[in-house]
Structures are given as structure tokens and as C-alpha cells.
Amino acid sequence: MISCKNLFLQSFLILSTAFAQGGETEVQGCVDPLAAIISTLGCVALKDVACASAGYNESFIKLHNSVEDTKWGGGSLQDTNTEIDSDGSFWSNTLSLMTFSFSYDYTANIGPNRASVRYVKDVSFTDGSNFGLPASAEYPWSLNVLQHEHVLVTVDDDCKMILWDQYGDNEEQDVVNLASLLMFQELCNVGIVPSPMCTGFGIIVADPTPTPKTPKSPKTPKSSKRA
């Protein structure tokens, strides 16, 4: 009767021989989802648009407390409006408004192509000077928000993120979304953001030049009648 110890040694020798003969074990899927996710978030923190955009699958979906993203023009403030494109415009626009940093307190690969990440996200909004505006500390400019989130991330076989299913405080998310909306509204009003883009987000651009009033025609004096 073969003991467990001997069986383990035999198995080890068989595997060692297979590798020595050039045999390989095929690895399916993403080898290290967590490493890929942390790397992409590092690109976001560094404001590296090309690197950040490269970490997302073109079919990427983001959920906040099971609510799928919608544009600012519809849905609740809990919707996070994340439509990441391959040309980098999402991260280019987002990182012009705010800066992110991440403090991780739990990370783990939890299955094939899946990882769990718990973190505190520090969101710092611009003071407007990068848009050529006078630096301002008046809300929503220069706002700082901490978001406490726990996310389950699914990546594709190329380690690109395809599903971001996060759980976090709704109030914290609402504060970020509302500040982003108000800041975007101001940029639209002064003409920094193109009007079609503003309209696409449901923002009505204020007309900086009031419509001149049409002058009234002078009244013709009535002729007096003789008695």
C-alpha cells in the first residue's frame, strides 16, 4: 500500500520530469488580476491617460451599489457616469477635473479573472487654473472628498477590466457626482467645454449675450376733434 508521502513524491517526480522534457502547463485567463488592477489604478493616480485607458476592456461596465452608470442627464446621483473609451477622452476629461489617490487596506485574487479591492479614495478637484481660470477655493472648486469603497473586479483574459462592481457610501458618491456636474456646468457656461459635449450630458448652456429687445414703434398721436 502506497503511503501519502510516497504518493506525493511520485507526483512531484512526474511533474518535474514533464517540465524537464519541455512539457508546459497551459495557463488560461489572466494570471494575476489583482496586479493588473492595481497597475491601472496607479496609472490613474499618476494622470497617465494612455496607460489608464489601456487597462479597460471596450465593454467595461461600472456599478455602484448595483446601480449601472448613466449620463448626468438621467438617473440618480448614485450613477457614476463611467463610459471609458479607447481614445482616452474619458480619462483626459476626468483627470482635468480631479486628481485621485488610493490607500488600500485589503486586496486579494478571489477566483479566475477576479479580484477584491478595499480602499479609501482621495478625490481632489481642480481650482480651475488648469483651464485658464482664476484659481478658486469656492465650491465646487478645490473640493476634497474621501470615498470608502470595496470593489469586486472582473478582468478579461488579457487582464483588462470588464466589470467594476463597487460598494460604498451613497452620500460620498453623490458629493463627487454633484460637484463634477456643477464644475462641468461652469466650464460649459464660459465656453471652455464645446456646446455639443455639454448638450450630450444634458447641460443647458447659458447664453452669455442677452437677446436685445426690439424697440417699440412710437404711437401715432390721435387727431383732436373740433366741437
Side-chain angles (χ1 to χ4, degrees):
M1 185 174 181
I2 301 176
S3 67
C4 292
K5 182 177 180 181
N6 289 335
L7 183 61
F8 172 78
L9 289 174
Q10 289 179 20
S11 300
F12 177 77
L13 289 173
I14 292 172
L15 289 173
S16 300
T17 303
F19 279 111
Q21 294 176 349
E24 295 182 357
T25 301
E26 183 180 356
V27 178
Q28 296 181 345
C30 177
V31 176
D32 192 344
L34 179 62
I37 295 161
I38 298 299
S39 176
T40 297
L41 295 180
C43 295
V44 171
L46 291 172
K47 291 182 174 284
D48 188 332
V49 172
C51 175
S53 301
Y56 293 82
N57 182 287
E58 61 183 8
S59 300
F60 176 76
I61 293 175
K62 183 177 181 180
L63 304 175
H64 175 74
N65 294 344
S66 301
V67 179
E68 187 172 355
D69 300 338
T70 62
K71 292 188 175 182
W72 283 323
S76 73
L77 289 174
Q78 296 172 25
D79 301 333
T80 52
N81 184 34
T82 306
E83 297 177 2
I84 298 181
D85 41 30
S86 58
D87 66 0
S89 61
F90 172 83
W91 280 121
S92 178
N93 292 331
T94 300
L95 294 176
S96 68
L97 294 178
M98 60 194 84
T99 299
F100 300 97
S101 64
F102 302 88
S103 177
Y104 305 102
D105 58 17
Y106 174 78
T107 59
N109 285 316
I110 58 173
N113 288 22
R114 297 190 77 211
S116 174
V117 184
R118 191 174 64 209
Y119 56 91
V120 178
K121 180 169 64 179
D122 190 316
V123 184
S124 298
F125 284 84
T126 177
D127 62 4
S129 59
N130 58 313
F131 292 105
L133 300 174
S136 174
E138 184 177 349
Y139 176 84
W141 307 99
S142 301
L143 179 68
N144 184 257
V145 182
L146 292 180
Q147 290 187 268
H148 300 77
E149 297 173 341
H150 185 191
V151 60
L152 303 179
V153 188
T154 302
V155 301
D156 61 18
D157 289 349
D158 295 321
C159 297
K160 295 178 182 291
M161 289 188 281
I162 194 167
L163 175 62
W164 180 282
D165 189 1
Q166 78 179 31
Y167 295 86
D169 188 276
N170 285 338
E171 183 179 2
E172 294 173 353
Q173 187 66 55
D174 285 353
V175 170
V176 171
N177 289 349
L178 182 57
S180 301
L181 175 61
L182 294 175
M183 191 172 289
F184 204 72
Q185 173 80 66
E186 289 195 33
L187 294 173
C188 287
N189 288 342
V190 298
I192 292 177
V193 178
S195 181
M197 183 181 294
C198 299
T199 305
F201 281 95
I203 295 175
I204 300 175
V205 180
D207 187 355
T209 56
T211 305
K213 295 182 179 180
T214 305
K216 296 181 179 180
S217 301
K219 294 182 179 180
T220 304
K222 296 181 179 179
S223 59
S224 59
K225 295 183 179 180
R226 293 182 180 179

